[in-house]
Amino acid sequence: MHHPGAGGAGKGENMSQFLRTPLYLLLASVLATPAFAAESRIPEGIDLTLDLVGNVAHNPVGGVEQGTEGSYWVMAQSKFDLDKLFGVHGTEVDAQWAWFAGHNLAREKIGNSISAQQTWRPVAGGRLTRLTLRHRFDNGLSITAGRAPVNSYFNNSPLNCVFMSNAMCLTPYGAITDLGITAYPNSSWAGLVRYDVNDRWYAQAGVFDYNNELNKAGKNGLDFSVGEGTGTISAYEVGYQTSFANDRLPRTYRIGMYRNSDGGKSSYFDADGNSAALTGKPTAVQDGARLGVYAMGDQTVWRGEGNRNLAVFGRVYVNTGNEAPVDHFVSAGFVKTGTFAGRDQDTLAMFVSNTHFSDEQIGFLRDRRSRYGGTGAPHADEIITELSYGWAVKKGIRLMPNLQYVINPDPIYAPTRTTHIPDALIVGLRVDVHFAQLFGW
């Protein structure tokens, strides 16, 4: 059990705790059975996925204190092609479930709000993350309805998760904090329409119920109530994308926007118009709507034999509606696929990001610091960089050692801090196991 304020557990202790979890013991026993020793046969029309992703992070330098934390998730997904199974043309069912556990180094040791571990979630345990029915018409139009998160469909790219930091993976930072968009593993009632003009251009729009109560412990993604939310999230995106199948140098460009009719809460003022940090009262509910726009681009700039390539990318998010904690977020980086001789599937990747907090958010943190006897304000710009190497051990298993560096860590989760938090160096390890690939399902 983790005790806040206690010294950080060593990596060995974290791994030992993980190896004693019922989930790990169950997976180990299943994988040891003869049925999994050979290639499994899955009926045509059923696509099964079972992934285990683990993160361990240690900050030898910087933060409020030094320590080690680990987190992991297990995700199971089943896609049913109803055309192949029952002759229902162009229709599929997608069901996804996940289990989360672990602790967050950023919150518990460093004190900042941007997690270094993309597998950590505030609510641990199991959760239904998606249950959708999708129908594709012959003219390029498709309609999806059911339970789904916004970030599975909008502002998304495979390059986002060639990293471990939550500044990039799963969704570039900003929109979740500002607009409350539902993000994996949280889901809500949703309806989406997409039109593929051709094999390159597309446009899509979605409407999602906003009910923050669904994200709390004990809900497990199984509360299917209707009409109890406080707002509606709408999302719009236009994109151009190619692949190795139709472009020597594949590229992806997307622009989009989000709108949440729930105006959110002020980052600074209480209901009386005073500093909530000084009065100790809750921040005030805002009228109006929350809005944000984004743009992203992935561009392959070099290609060697096979799929060996070098891609560069950029991400931008800007808050354009009600005041919110983040004014804007920008990031850029590269992903090199194919590194040394014979390592065609390995990746070398790096990104640098800047999160610019609003004047109100910085004012709140300044006043809170003053309340506890400190002076001055935290920096408005939090800069995070990560350098990672993805080692494809074998098909279905990837290890990703990484180094992260956080300049100007925000003190959002260090409420009694009276001075700046020292810049933090983070040594991380991400482990991905894709059982469907491993066993040839």
Side-chain angles (χ1 to χ4, degrees), residues 29 72 84 90 107 138 173 194 241 330 337 354 376:
S29 63
Y72 68 92
K84 294 180 180 179
R107 286 196 184 197
D138 294 333
Y173 200 73
R194 176 176 171 127
Q241 58 187 8
V330 295
T337 301
N354 180 43

PDB file of all heavy atoms in Angstrom, residues 29 72 84 90 107 138 173 194 241 330 337 354 376:
ATOM      1  N   SER A  29      -1.481 -17.733 -15.394  1.00  0.00           N
ATOM      2  CA  SER A  29      -2.030 -19.084 -15.425  1.00  0.00           C
ATOM      3  C   SER A  29      -2.658 -19.397 -16.777  1.00  0.00           C
ATOM      4  O   SER A  29      -2.537 -20.503 -17.294  1.00  0.00           O
ATOM      5  CB  SER A  29      -3.075 -19.249 -14.307  1.00  0.00           C
ATOM      6  OG  SER A  29      -4.168 -18.373 -14.508  1.00  0.00           O
ATOM      7  N   TYR A  72      -0.433   0.237 -14.477  1.00  0.00           N
ATOM      8  CA  TYR A  72      -0.645  -0.614 -15.649  1.00  0.00           C
ATOM      9  C   TYR A  72      -2.117  -0.669 -16.004  1.00  0.00           C
ATOM     10  O   TYR A  72      -2.990  -0.320 -15.195  1.00  0.00           O
ATOM     11  CB  TYR A  72      -0.122  -2.036 -15.409  1.00  0.00           C
ATOM     12  CG  TYR A  72      -0.900  -2.824 -14.390  1.00  0.00           C
ATOM     13  CD1 TYR A  72      -1.965  -3.640 -14.774  1.00  0.00           C
ATOM     14  CD2 TYR A  72      -0.573  -2.781 -13.035  1.00  0.00           C
ATOM     15  CE1 TYR A  72      -2.680  -4.377 -13.850  1.00  0.00           C
ATOM     16  CE2 TYR A  72      -1.275  -3.521 -12.097  1.00  0.00           C
ATOM     17  CZ  TYR A  72      -2.336  -4.305 -12.507  1.00  0.00           C
ATOM     18  OH  TYR A  72      -3.054  -5.030 -11.593  1.00  0.00           O
ATOM     19  N   LYS A  84     -19.829 -10.666 -42.111  1.00  0.00           N
ATOM     20  CA  LYS A  84     -19.244 -12.001 -42.216  1.00  0.00           C
ATOM     21  C   LYS A  84     -19.942 -13.011 -41.317  1.00  0.00           C
ATOM     22  O   LYS A  84     -20.027 -14.198 -41.649  1.00  0.00           O
ATOM     23  CB  LYS A  84     -17.761 -11.936 -41.864  1.00  0.00           C
ATOM     24  CG  LYS A  84     -16.920 -11.136 -42.857  1.00  0.00           C
ATOM     25  CD  LYS A  84     -15.457 -11.102 -42.457  1.00  0.00           C
ATOM     26  CE  LYS A  84     -14.634 -10.308 -43.463  1.00  0.00           C
ATOM     27  NZ  LYS A  84     -13.196 -10.247 -43.073  1.00  0.00           N
ATOM     28  N   GLY A  90     -21.986  -4.194 -44.029  1.00  0.00           N
ATOM     29  CA  GLY A  90     -21.335  -2.967 -43.576  1.00  0.00           C
ATOM     30  C   GLY A  90     -21.523  -2.623 -42.120  1.00  0.00           C
ATOM     31  O   GLY A  90     -21.395  -1.456 -41.750  1.00  0.00           O
ATOM     32  N   ARG A 107       1.932  13.166  -9.593  1.00  0.00           N
ATOM     33  CA  ARG A 107       1.120  13.698  -8.501  1.00  0.00           C
ATOM     34  C   ARG A 107       1.763  13.449  -7.133  1.00  0.00           C
ATOM     35  O   ARG A 107       1.777  14.343  -6.280  1.00  0.00           O
ATOM     36  CB  ARG A 107      -0.274  13.049  -8.500  1.00  0.00           C
ATOM     37  CG  ARG A 107      -1.191  13.524  -9.599  1.00  0.00           C
ATOM     38  CD  ARG A 107      -2.622  13.135  -9.266  1.00  0.00           C
ATOM     39  NE  ARG A 107      -3.532  13.480 -10.343  1.00  0.00           N
ATOM     40  CZ  ARG A 107      -4.852  13.552 -10.200  1.00  0.00           C
ATOM     41  NH1 ARG A 107      -5.414  13.298  -9.034  1.00  0.00           N
ATOM     42  NH2 ARG A 107      -5.626  13.872 -11.218  1.00  0.00           N
ATOM     43  N   ASP A 138     -22.266   2.425 -48.693  1.00  0.00           N
ATOM     44  CA  ASP A 138     -21.396   2.226 -49.854  1.00  0.00           C
ATOM     45  C   ASP A 138     -20.873   3.531 -50.444  1.00  0.00           C
ATOM     46  O   ASP A 138     -19.982   3.515 -51.300  1.00  0.00           O
ATOM     47  CB  ASP A 138     -22.146   1.447 -50.944  1.00  0.00           C
ATOM     48  CG  ASP A 138     -22.466   0.018 -50.507  1.00  0.00           C
ATOM     49  OD1 ASP A 138     -21.719  -0.516 -49.659  1.00  0.00           O
ATOM     50  OD2 ASP A 138     -23.464  -0.540 -51.009  1.00  0.00           O
ATOM     51  N   TYR A 173      -1.978  17.208 -24.587  1.00  0.00           N
ATOM     52  CA  TYR A 173      -2.503  17.821 -23.367  1.00  0.00           C
ATOM     53  C   TYR A 173      -3.337  19.074 -23.660  1.00  0.00           C
ATOM     54  O   TYR A 173      -3.096  19.775 -24.626  1.00  0.00           O
ATOM     55  CB  TYR A 173      -1.351  18.184 -22.437  1.00  0.00           C
ATOM     56  CG  TYR A 173      -1.778  18.366 -21.004  1.00  0.00           C
ATOM     57  CD1 TYR A 173      -2.118  17.273 -20.222  1.00  0.00           C
ATOM     58  CD2 TYR A 173      -1.859  19.633 -20.448  1.00  0.00           C
ATOM     59  CE1 TYR A 173      -2.521  17.429 -18.915  1.00  0.00           C
ATOM     60  CE2 TYR A 173      -2.257  19.811 -19.134  1.00  0.00           C
ATOM     61  CZ  TYR A 173      -2.590  18.705 -18.376  1.00  0.00           C
ATOM     62  OH  TYR A 173      -2.990  18.878 -17.074  1.00  0.00           O
ATOM     63  N   ARG A 194     -19.332  10.173 -40.105  1.00  0.00           N
ATOM     64  CA  ARG A 194     -18.083  10.381 -40.830  1.00  0.00           C
ATOM     65  C   ARG A 194     -18.335  10.180 -42.319  1.00  0.00           C
ATOM     66  O   ARG A 194     -19.063   9.256 -42.714  1.00  0.00           O
ATOM     67  CB  ARG A 194     -17.008   9.418 -40.341  1.00  0.00           C
ATOM     68  CG  ARG A 194     -15.690   9.504 -41.138  1.00  0.00           C
ATOM     69  CD  ARG A 194     -14.640   8.602 -40.567  1.00  0.00           C
ATOM     70  NE  ARG A 194     -13.463   8.520 -41.434  1.00  0.00           N
ATOM     71  CZ  ARG A 194     -12.220   8.749 -41.047  1.00  0.00           C
ATOM     72  NH1 ARG A 194     -11.969   9.084 -39.791  1.00  0.00           N
ATOM     73  NH2 ARG A 194     -11.218   8.640 -41.890  1.00  0.00           N
ATOM     74  N   GLN A 241      -5.245  12.154 -44.967  1.00  0.00           N
ATOM     75  CA  GLN A 241      -4.313  11.141 -44.487  1.00  0.00           C
ATOM     76  C   GLN A 241      -4.000  10.137 -45.591  1.00  0.00           C
ATOM     77  O   GLN A 241      -4.849   9.791 -46.399  1.00  0.00           O
ATOM     78  CB  GLN A 241      -4.881  10.412 -43.262  1.00  0.00           C
ATOM     79  CG  GLN A 241      -6.218   9.738 -43.499  1.00  0.00           C
ATOM     80  CD  GLN A 241      -6.824   9.181 -42.222  1.00  0.00           C
ATOM     81  OE1 GLN A 241      -6.333   9.405 -41.130  1.00  0.00           O
ATOM     82  NE2 GLN A 241      -7.909   8.431 -42.382  1.00  0.00           N
ATOM     83  N   VAL A 330       1.487  23.286 -27.187  1.00  0.00           N
ATOM     84  CA  VAL A 330       2.147  23.009 -28.462  1.00  0.00           C
ATOM     85  C   VAL A 330       3.197  21.933 -28.235  1.00  0.00           C
ATOM     86  O   VAL A 330       3.794  21.836 -27.155  1.00  0.00           O
ATOM     87  CB  VAL A 330       2.815  24.266 -29.068  1.00  0.00           C
ATOM     88  CG1 VAL A 330       1.769  25.301 -29.436  1.00  0.00           C
ATOM     89  CG2 VAL A 330       3.843  24.858 -28.114  1.00  0.00           C
ATOM     90  N   THR A 337      11.505   5.020 -37.370  1.00  0.00           N
ATOM     91  CA  THR A 337      11.165   3.605 -37.365  1.00  0.00           C
ATOM     92  C   THR A 337      12.220   2.848 -38.164  1.00  0.00           C
ATOM     93  O   THR A 337      12.440   3.145 -39.341  1.00  0.00           O
ATOM     94  CB  THR A 337       9.775   3.372 -37.987  1.00  0.00           C
ATOM     95  OG1 THR A 337       8.799   4.106 -37.254  1.00  0.00           O
ATOM     96  CG2 THR A 337       9.417   1.898 -37.964  1.00  0.00           C
ATOM     97  N   ASN A 354       5.158  22.402 -24.735  1.00  0.00           N
ATOM     98  CA  ASN A 354       4.996  23.535 -23.825  1.00  0.00           C
ATOM     99  C   ASN A 354       3.518  23.687 -23.494  1.00  0.00           C
ATOM    100  O   ASN A 354       2.686  23.862 -24.392  1.00  0.00           O
ATOM    101  CB  ASN A 354       5.526  24.829 -24.442  1.00  0.00           C
ATOM    102  CG  ASN A 354       5.357  26.021 -23.503  1.00  0.00           C
ATOM    103  OD1 ASN A 354       5.616  25.907 -22.314  1.00  0.00           O
ATOM    104  ND2 ASN A 354       4.915  27.145 -24.034  1.00  0.00           N
ATOM    105  N   GLY A 376       5.507  35.044  -4.544  1.00  0.00           N
ATOM    106  CA  GLY A 376       5.729  34.818  -5.962  1.00  0.00           C
ATOM    107  C   GLY A 376       4.727  33.845  -6.553  1.00  0.00           C
ATOM    108  O   GLY A 376       3.862  33.301  -5.870  1.00  0.00           O
TER     109      GLY A 376
END
